[in-house]
């Protein structure tokens, strides 16, 4: 295959062509303007000489002499030599010469038409006479009573005009040559600079790199957002668009107009940030911020985003399964002990005591006390079993109101219940009590009440606890201040409301109302819908 011309050669050739065209065009224009300037200069001189001769008293008086040429010829030659023109010719009103550079031509009729000046008007133009082709001016000579008594013709040969122009050409060519040399040097410098800026890559190599970069950035599962040095969005890959729910063209826009305030604050921070949890919409993202540099100078910022929502869901399900397994293992061990007691009572012949013991322990158990019979949603029921096991291990009494009824299932409700129950358990601590009521109306509206006997939520904090990043935990850190903010956003998206107030148990009571698919009820309140998206279960300390 024939090798294509390199970018360096193309750039240099194109710039040299531009320099050549520019220099030639400028040279042609300069030569044309110089020729015009020379002709205008001579025209002004010829008009002044012609009009001066036509008004000269000695010339006017000589028209009345018997031999006008004896007076006019010496004057005309003197003026011609002084003004540096080719000729000064004076004629009578019939065109007979009274003066001429060649004395033999005096007394002859002029070789060109004198009708224009004899009519009283000035003539300017190029004509061919006895001396050759010349550029000339002809003016009338007025006698007494403004009567035209003759003409004065002043001219310069075209060859002399060209000779004057040629005298200026070497200097002009020198300037043009200097400009061409400077242009060539500038073209070489620009070519070298461009090549250095693009790391001496050829166009096909640049295209390959861009295609590879796009394929890599849009193919990875992490979201990537790149900002330039001015704080504008330079690049967003497909995963980042999905995680941030971005629509339309965002490249080139300020970061504050594209990202949520919490994420924009991370992007504009001064220090590097690793694995910070940020709530974006209803997604919990793990954000890393790194400064991008080139040759040791900062050129922008790169944010990488990972969806912790799905990870935490998996961890939550695993924790639930582990808790339930531990609860079942403990129950199996307890059941084995109960069998030994029953066996011993029967061997002792105390059958009535055995029946009483069976009746007493049969009504207990870890699982049968966990969820109400009306809660038939599988995911929610499994969550409540896991939370009950966890609370039991921590010495916390967890009760589900027997009046609870729920058929709906979904990540939203699991996330809300998980966060609220965990918050209540954290608040009340060992020896405390957590109560839960879940009720679903016929129209699908779901009402959740979570009560605890902990310290409660001060009135001045009841609005701020739903703001992302706010926490009252004793040791705030990564992951704090997200749970209740996430609950609040999910509730808004479901067109419901969430509130906190004093509980009858002495602590705090959280109420959540989620709108169903049926007609609205006045008890649920109103809230503007928020953005849609997946959910997570993260706790928020009070």
């Amino acid at each position: 295959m024939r090798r294509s011309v390199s970018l360096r050669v193309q750039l240099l050739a194109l710039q040299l062509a531009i320099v050549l065209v520019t220099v030639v065009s400028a040279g042609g224009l300069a030569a044309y303007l110089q020729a015009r300037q020379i002709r205008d200069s001579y025209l002004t001189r010829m008009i002044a000489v012609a009009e001066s001769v036509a008004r000269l008293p000695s010339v006017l008086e000589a028209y009345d002499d018997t031999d006008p040429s004896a007076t006019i010829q010496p004057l005309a030659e003197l003026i011609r030599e002084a003004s540096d023109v080719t000729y000064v010719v004076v004629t009578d009103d019939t065109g007979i010469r009274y003066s001429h550079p060649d004395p033999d031509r005096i007394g002859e009729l002029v070789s060109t038409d004198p009708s224009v000046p004899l009519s009283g008007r000035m003539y300017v133009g190029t004509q061919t006479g006895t001396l050759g082709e010349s550029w000339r001016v002809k003016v009338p000579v007025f006698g007494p009573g403004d009567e035209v008594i003759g003409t004065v013709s002043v001219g310069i040969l075209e060859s002399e005009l060209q000779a004057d122009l040629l005298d200026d050409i070497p200097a002009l060519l020198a300037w043009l040559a200097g400009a061409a040399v400077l242009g060539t040097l500038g073209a070489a410098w620009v070519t070298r600079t461009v090549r250095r800026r693009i790391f001496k890559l050829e166009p096909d190599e640049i295209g390959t790199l861009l295609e590879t970069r796009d394929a890599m950035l849009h193919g990875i599962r992490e979201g990537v957002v790149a900002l330039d040095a001015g704080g504008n969005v330079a690049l967003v890959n497909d995963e980042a668009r999905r995680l941030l729910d971005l629509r339309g063209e965002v490249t080139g826009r300020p970061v504050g107009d594209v990202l949520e305030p919490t994420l924009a604050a991370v992007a504009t921070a001064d220090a590097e940030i690793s694995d910070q949890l940020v709530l974006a919409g209803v997604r919990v993202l793990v954000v890393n911020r790194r400064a991008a540099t080139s040759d040791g100078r900062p050129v922008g910022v790169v944010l990488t985003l990972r969806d912790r929502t799905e990870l935490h869901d998996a961890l939550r399900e695993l924790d639930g399964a582990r808790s339930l397994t531990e609860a079942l293992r403990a129950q199996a061990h307890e059941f084995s002990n109960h069998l030994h007691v029953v066996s011993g009572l029967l061997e002792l012949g105390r059958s009535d005591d055995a029946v009483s013991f069976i009746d007493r322990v049969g009504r207990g158990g870890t699982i049968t006390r966990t969820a109400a019979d009306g809660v038939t949603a599988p995911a929610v029921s499994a969550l409540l079993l896991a939370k009950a096991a966890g609370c039991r291990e921590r010495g916390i009494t967890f009760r589900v109101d027997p009046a609870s009824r729920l058929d709906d299932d979904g990540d939203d409700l699991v996330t809300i219940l998980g966060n609220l129950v965990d918050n209540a358990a954290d608040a009340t601590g060992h020896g405390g009590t957590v109560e839960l009521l879940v009720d679903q109306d016929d129209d699908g509206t779901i009402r959740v009440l979570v009560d605890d006997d902990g310290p409660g939520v001060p009135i001045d904090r009841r609005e701020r606890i739903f703001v992302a990043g706010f926490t009252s935990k004793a040791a705030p850190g990564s992951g704090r201040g997200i749970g209740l903010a996430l609950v609040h956003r999910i509730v808004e998206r479901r067109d419901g409301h969430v509130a906190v107030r004093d509980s009858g148990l002495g602590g705090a009571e959280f109420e959540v109302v989620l709108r169903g698919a049926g007609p609205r009820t006045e008890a649920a309140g109103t809230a503007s819908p928020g953005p849609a998206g997946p959910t997570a279960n993260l706790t928020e300390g009070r």
Side-chain angles (χ1 to χ4, degrees), residues 15-69:
Q15 291 180 90
L16 289 179
I18 294 173
V19 170
L20 180 61
V21 171
T22 303
V23 169
V24 170
S25 301
L29 179 61
Y32 169 76
L33 294 176
Q34 182 66 12
R36 287 291 302 270
Q37 184 177 2
I38 291 174
R39 295 180 76 88
D40 291 343
S41 176
Y42 273 107
L43 176 62
T44 302
R45 186 189 307 174
M46 291 188 298
I47 291 175
V49 171
E51 290 182 344
S52 297
V53 172
R55 294 186 180 92
L56 195 62
S58 299
V59 173
L60 296 176
E61 292 173 358
Y63 269 88
D64 296 330
D65 295 344
T66 55
D67 185 10
S69 62

Side-chain angles (χ1 to χ4, degrees), residues 356-431:
S356 176
F357 179 76
I358 293 173
D359 183 64
R360 186 171 65 254
V361 299
R363 296 176 183 176
T366 302
I367 296 179
T368 56
R369 291 195 303 265
T370 299
D373 294 337
V375 180
T376 59
V380 175
S381 180
L383 174 69
L384 296 182
L385 290 174
K387 295 302 179 185
C391 288
R392 184 179 181 184
E393 291 179 1
R394 297 171 62 181
I396 299 173
T397 301
F398 177 60
R399 292 194 293 265
V400 180
D401 194 312
S404 295
R405 182 170 65 94
L406 181 67
D407 300 326
D408 188 21
D409 217 349
D411 290 338
D412 287 350
L413 195 57
V414 169
T415 298
I416 291 172
L417 288 175
N419 279 291
L420 294 181
V421 172
D422 285 344
N423 275 358
D426 290 342
T428 189
H430 182 79

